[in-house]
Amino acid sequence: MRAIRADEHLAYVRSLPSASFLQTPAWGRVKSEWTAESVGFYAGPVLVGAGLVLYRQLPGIRRSLAYLPEGPVLDWARADVPALLDGLAAHLRSRGAFGIRMGPAVVTRRWHAGTIKTAIADPTVHRLGDVTPDESCEVGAALVETLQRAGWRHQVVAGGFSAGQPRYNFVLPLAGRSEADVLAGMNQQWRRNIKKAAQAGVEVRVGDRDDMPQFHAAYVETARRDGFTPRPLAYFDTMYAALNTEQSDRLRLYLAHHDGELVAATTMVRVGEHAWYSYGASTTTKREVRGSNAIQWQMIRDAIAAQAGVYDLRGITDTLDEDDPHLGLIQFKVGTGGDAVEYVGEWDLPLSRALYGAFALYMRRR
């Protein structure tokens, strides 16, 4: 384990079918409030894994939390995973980290859309995690056991969201499927809304950096309506520039208009064979023209055209309770006909128990 150059890191990512965009060197430039480092995992002289480490220093001291969002990027089925993680801990300790937080993008369980629909209709079922999965993943289960044995601590908060990146996500498989196949797999409401948007004359186009203020205005409106704190425009400008400088067309900005008026705007990120719906916004007016469905369908079509194997609609909670306001988000995504997946989640390894304890107390009191 050692630090590697950004170009070495990027070359390793490009050698794979895909990796999380949060583990690309460019993401370190997006998260400017953190200090970024690329690290490499070696088996002898061979690079067998890489990671983007983000360091956040504690106020008043020279010690940091080391964070690897949706990383590191490894073959988690390797027999030497425990040794590689020990090497990671030693390296980050030498860099002054008091603790490590990581969230490997490794699936443990998967539920198909039909299973989720049945569970939502059952009043006795309240959590996705309580539903028998359609698939259980041995590599994910083995990694959880490895982390537990090594003293890593699982980080979970109410509702199924981890402390950083979501533990539950919704993905739409695209490999080997045509547009017609994907459309046929959607529920009737999704197909009807896509058709309605087309008949109403909703037009979706790919924008550029100059269009970012339009996106941001709709995003701020969405934040006000849904009750979350929006990121500033400068964050999205930086994200657009950093990701697209590293790889042309990595991040796309989409805008949906009706009669010249913006009704929805989104961003999509793609690394290799994996495409992500990253940020979305819609205006309060003209919701009846179904701009959100139209813009999602265009992103899915473009992901298929780019030969992506997965279109990732990102986080959901695990709630299936009809009284929970988050249920609507799951129902919207289930309508695409995809799968809910559970990842191993985020895990912490204290390197200084005293400092990590103080950090954990601070986080609980925020």
Side-chain angles (χ1 to χ4, degrees):
M1 159 62 63
R2 63 173 175 82
I4 59 175
R5 300 189 311 271
D7 63 306
E8 295 176 297
H9 181 177
L10 182 58
Y12 180 75
V13 169
R14 286 175 172 167
S15 74
L16 304 174
S18 187
S20 172
F21 68 92
L22 304 182
Q23 281 295 294
T24 61
W27 194 249
R29 296 191 288 277
V30 177
K31 308 305 287 186
S32 58
E33 70 274 26
W34 299 68
T35 300
E37 179 186 40
S38 292
V39 297
F41 297 82
Y42 287 84
V46 180
L47 182 66
V48 297
L52 176 70
V53 183
L54 301 174
Y55 296 96
R56 172 66 70 85
Q57 189 170 311
L58 278 180
I61 64 172
R62 290 187 161 184
R63 302 292 294 277
S64 302
L65 174 71
Y67 181 39
L68 293 89
E70 296 189 359
V73 181
L74 280 173
D75 175 2
W76 293 100
R78 294 178 61 96
D80 60 351
V81 163
L84 293 174
L85 291 180
D86 286 345
L88 174 67
H91 175 80
L92 298 182
R93 183 182 283 110
S94 74
R95 288 291 198 263
F98 66 82
I100 309 169
R101 175 166 295 171
M102 69 174 187
V106 179
V107 172
T108 55
R109 296 186 290 177
R110 181 183 293 264
W111 297 265
H112 300 323
T115 300
I116 302 168
K117 292 175 186 176
T118 300
I120 291 173
D122 186 343
T124 67
V125 178
H126 301 285
R127 295 286 172 190
L128 182 60
D130 296 332
V131 179
T132 301
D134 293 290
E135 299 175 29
S136 296
C137 305
E138 293 182 4
V139 172
L143 178 56
V144 169
E145 292 183 7
T146 296
L147 295 173
Q148 290 172 334
R149 286 196 301 268
W152 292 76
R153 303 179 182 181
H154 195 200
Q155 304 301 303
V156 178
V157 295
F161 278 117
S162 65
Q165 302 305 316
R167 183 180 180 188
Y168 294 90
N169 283 260
F170 202 88
V171 298
L172 179 61
L174 300 179
R177 304 175 74 193
S178 66
E179 288 183 15
D181 295 333
V182 174
L183 191 61
M186 294 181 175
N187 68 14
Q188 185 179 18
Q189 183 177 11
W190 258 87
R191 293 195 300 271
R192 184 169 58 244
N193 286 344
I194 290 170
K195 183 177 181 180
K196 184 175 183 178
Q199 291 175 336
V202 174
E203 298 179 348
V204 180
R205 68 175 177 88
V206 176
D208 57 28
R209 194 173 179 181
D210 291 339
D211 295 306
M212 195 60 76
Q214 287 189 66
F215 161 82
H216 193 258
Y219 167 72
V220 170
E221 180 180 341
T222 301
R224 189 180 304 115
R225 184 177 66 239
D226 294 349
F228 64 87
T229 302
R231 293 186 181 276
L233 175 59
Y235 178 87
F236 294 101
D237 275 334
T238 299
M239 183 176 173
Y240 189 95
L243 295 186
N244 287 330
T245 298
E246 182 175 88
Q247 179 72 46
S248 176
D249 208 32
R250 174 159 289 167
L251 183 148
R252 282 188 176 188
L253 172 64
Y254 288 80
L255 302 109
H257 289 86
H258 180 260
D259 289 340
E261 185 177 350
L262 184 70
V263 292
T266 55
T267 59
M268 182 176 78
V269 182
R270 185 173 59 85
V271 179
E273 299 173 5
H274 201 122
W276 291 264
Y277 161 45
S278 178
Y279 284 92
S282 62
T283 60
T284 304
T285 59
K286 294 193 172 183
R287 299 177 74 83
E288 71 281 359
V289 301
R290 305 302 180 186
S292 293
N293 294 94
I295 207 168
Q296 286 288 343
W297 178 232
Q298 187 61 55
M299 290 195 294
I300 291 168
R301 293 174 66 203
D302 287 354
I304 294 171
Q307 298 184 319
V310 175
Y311 179 73
D312 195 324
L313 287 96
R314 298 290 286 169
I316 56 173
T317 66
D318 72 337
T319 183
L320 299 178
D321 194 324
E322 63 179 10
D323 296 327
D324 193 306
H326 292 108
L327 181 62
L329 178 64
I330 298 175
Q331 291 173 317
F332 177 79
K333 295 181 179 183
V334 166
T336 65
D339 301 333
V341 295
E342 176 194 52
Y343 290 107
V344 296
E346 296 204 321
W347 295 73
D348 283 11
L349 181 68
L351 300 178
S352 166
R353 294 195 177 276
L355 289 176
Y356 178 83
F359 167 75
L361 180 61
Y362 166 75
M363 293 299 292
R364 286 196 297 271
R365 290 179 173 176
R366 285 178 63 184

